[in-house]
Amino acid sequence: MPRRVELGGGLPLVTRLGLATRGNTSLAPEDVTLAVERGVNYLNWCGYDDGIAKALRNKLICRNRIVVAMQLDARDAGSAGAELEEAFRVLGTERIDVVTFYYVEWKSEWERITSRDGALQVLEDAKKQGRVGLIGLTTHQRKLAAACAEEKKLDLLMVRYNAAHRGAEQDVFPVAERLRMPVVVYTAQRWGALRRKTHDDPPEFTPPAATEWYRFALVHPAVSVVLMAPNGRRELEQNLKLLDDWRPPTAAEFKVMAQHGLRVRKNAGRFP
């Protein structure tokens, strides 16, 4: 199981366990610094003036050694330009290495983005200027992700993938591998459900810790980066233990996790 991967675009090699922030989690700038010191260098920023933004703006981490990613809400050119400029200001940087169109769930959204006055043109111009590295797409819709990738207007895909939600193995990963397109995955713990018991668990079964669910996702060869989104220093330090025991799951471990994933899927209700 490779520890680091090349995303392309002249970006530095990245450790495949990435760090993400969300609006409902909290990481201090010092927490981000700790993660980078331990080797994490793919930082997925959520758009708030949070720990990642402050660590970057205050130069607590070496900018040239990290890859900064963000998701762009805008669909049209005017909104995209304004949103991108605000991101540069908040992050205190002149370049954002990965920008993905955020939660594109409908074909009509993609058509708007790629239209003559759509947001894609802004990112392509910024890429030519060296202000944006890779252009990507974030979506829950696997077949849409694959179809957009086939148009060859993107450098990267960002999709959800975990032991309870493995559809990307059929719908997305084969396309990405054929196109040699990096894939970043999120919700490796299925919002914590994979760490909790279900009514159908075998007697004495204890769900594996968070690190094991990251390990489950990392073992797939199409996955470039798996994002963790810890809430606070304690969760971060627990997740970082994976870096001290970097290995694929054994066949037996993988089977146990895959079976629990099926139980979580069954008990969590219907979700695509």
Side-chain angles (χ1 to χ4, degrees):
M1 184 170 78
R3 188 184 186 95
R4 305 179 80 190
V5 67
E6 183 177 347
L7 299 179
L11 300 181
L13 291 175
V14 296
T15 299
R16 295 178 63 220
L17 180 65
L19 178 65
T21 51
R22 300 198 310 264
N24 61 349
T25 62
S26 177
L27 285 179
E30 294 76 17
D31 299 326
V32 177
T33 301
L34 171 66
V36 173
E37 289 175 347
R38 292 289 307 278
V40 175
N41 67 332
Y42 189 96
L43 306 182
N44 192 84
W45 176 58
C46 71
Y48 294 92
D49 191 7
D50 59 8
I52 287 180
K54 291 173 181 174
L56 276 168
R57 196 170 63 244
N58 297 329
K59 296 180 172 54
L60 302 181
I61 51 183
C62 180
R63 179 65 183 89
N64 293 334
R65 295 181 181 178
I66 61 172
V67 169
V68 180
M70 67 167 282
Q71 280 69 61
L72 191 79
D73 286 312
R75 303 304 191 232
D76 63 275
S79 300
E83 188 176 343
L84 198 57
E85 291 302 325
E86 177 64 8
F88 288 131
R89 185 191 68 80
V90 175
L91 294 173
T93 184
E94 297 179 349
R95 173 187 169 92
I96 299 176
D97 302 300
V98 178
V99 180
T100 71
F101 297 108
Y102 193 45
Y103 285 163
V104 177
E105 304 297 299
W106 302 95
K107 183 180 179 181
S108 58
E109 290 181 273
W110 177 244
E111 291 173 344
R112 180 70 184 97
I113 288 167
T114 57
S115 65
R116 180 174 297 180
D117 62 343
L120 179 61
Q121 186 61 57
V122 171
L123 293 193
E124 288 178 339
D125 290 345
K127 184 176 180 181
K128 291 175 183 177
Q129 297 163 4
R131 305 184 78 199
V132 166
L134 305 180
I135 300 173
L137 177 77
T138 300
T139 182
H140 291 93
Q141 308 306 317
R142 302 186 302 270
K143 292 183 179 180
L144 177 61
C148 293
E150 292 281 16
E151 294 186 23
K152 299 182 179 179
K153 297 176 181 177
L154 298 168
D155 305 306
L156 177 144
L157 290 175
M158 184 169 164
V159 299
R160 62 180 170 181
Y161 174 62
N162 57 59
H165 198 284
R166 299 179 64 182
E169 294 176 4
Q170 290 76 45
D171 296 335
V172 179
F173 294 166
V175 173
E177 288 183 301
R178 174 167 51 81
L179 297 174
R180 297 184 179 181
M181 182 176 290
V183 180
V184 176
V185 303
Y186 55 92
T187 63
Q189 301 181 57
R190 211 266 161 176
W191 306 115
L194 290 165
R195 290 188 287 107
R196 296 192 290 268
K197 293 185 177 183
T198 75
H199 298 301
D200 298 327
D201 290 345
E204 310 301 323
F205 174 77
T206 300
T211 52
E212 304 313 301
W213 298 111
Y214 296 129
R215 203 187 304 279
F216 181 96
L218 283 162
V219 77
H220 198 288
V223 172
S224 297
V225 176
V226 175
L227 294 177
M228 58 172 166
N231 187 15
R233 174 66 71 98
R234 181 177 179 182
E235 286 189 9
L236 173 64
E237 290 180 338
Q238 291 174 341
N239 292 348
L240 291 175
K241 291 179 181 178
L242 179 63
L243 300 176
D244 300 323
D245 183 25
W246 191 268
R247 59 173 178 81
T250 65
E253 289 170 338
F254 188 90
K255 181 178 179 180
V256 167
M257 288 188 284
Q259 291 173 339
H260 188 57
L262 290 174
R263 294 193 296 270
V264 167
R265 184 180 181 88
K266 174 184 175 182
N267 285 273
R270 189 174 182 274
F271 61 100

